[in-house]
Amino acid sequence: IGPAGTATLADALREMKQLQSLNLADNEIGPDATATLADALREMKQLQSLLADALREMKQLQSLNLADNEIGPDATATLADALREMKQLQSLNLGCTWSHDNKIGPAGTATLADALRELKQLQSLNLEGNDIGRFGPAGAAALADALREMKQLQSLDL
């Protein structure tokens, strides 16, 4: 679709609030249109598939900020699968503010912890405000086990 088509598509996507899956592979979007598309995607709260698929291909990504996105434990499992491929990741922010919660919870934390073990370059991790231990110790225990293996970690927000 190219850059011009992407700008037109971005306008339409803003209206598609219930879209859950979007595949834009091999469309030669380009860097300028990517910013326009990113703005539109921020408004699409139900979109789940695009992010996980795209992240799997970003093996050189060093920083990922998905704070305040209400991703929940199921999407966290999908995200964890993608994170396992991101060996260069240095900073991961899945934290939340008072008004939004990623709702990772203990089950999502346990799944995420398995993936975190593989992120040997991770220096900063923010899981603040995600009810990790609120419903029992399982999530916190899994995270504690993973943290023991994360030798490069310099900053931790819970």
Side-chain angles (χ1 to χ4, degrees):
I1 61 177
T6 301
T8 303
L9 176 65
D11 288 338
L13 289 174
R14 285 185 174 87
E15 305 300 319
M16 302 173 73
K17 303 293 183 192
Q18 297 304 311
L19 187 67
Q20 293 185 4
S21 179
L22 175 63
N23 183 345
L24 294 174
D26 296 320
N27 278 293
E28 299 179 13
I29 293 172
D32 294 334
T34 299
T36 303
L37 182 61
D39 288 340
L41 294 177
R42 282 187 192 96
E43 299 174 29
M44 301 175 71
K45 302 298 182 189
Q46 299 299 317
L47 192 61
Q48 300 168 8
S49 179
L50 171 72
L51 180 60
D53 291 343
L55 288 176
R56 280 187 189 92
E57 301 302 318
M58 297 182 181
K59 297 179 187 331
Q60 300 301 315
L61 192 68
Q62 294 182 3
S63 179
L64 178 60
N65 184 344
L66 294 173
D68 299 314
N69 276 297
E70 301 179 10
I71 60 176
D74 293 337
T76 300
T78 303
L79 174 62
D81 288 341
L83 287 172
R84 286 182 178 90
E85 303 296 323
M86 302 170 73
K87 306 294 187 194
Q88 301 302 313
L89 196 66
Q90 296 175 15
S91 176
L92 176 61
N93 184 354
L94 299 176
C96 62
T97 62
W98 293 106
S99 61
H100 292 92
D101 181 351
N102 267 335
K103 300 178 181 171
I104 293 172
T109 303
T111 303
L112 183 63
D114 287 338
L116 291 175
R117 285 185 175 89
E118 298 181 34
L119 301 178
K120 304 296 185 194
Q121 302 300 316
L122 197 66
Q123 297 174 14
S124 176
L125 176 62
N126 183 349
L127 298 174
E128 180 180 8
N130 277 294
D131 295 330
I132 290 170
R134 182 175 176 195
F135 304 107
L143 181 61
D145 287 343
L147 290 172
R148 287 183 182 95
E149 297 178 32
M150 300 171 68
K151 305 297 185 197
Q152 297 297 319
L153 196 65
Q154 297 173 12
S155 174
L156 177 63
D157 289 315
L158 298 175

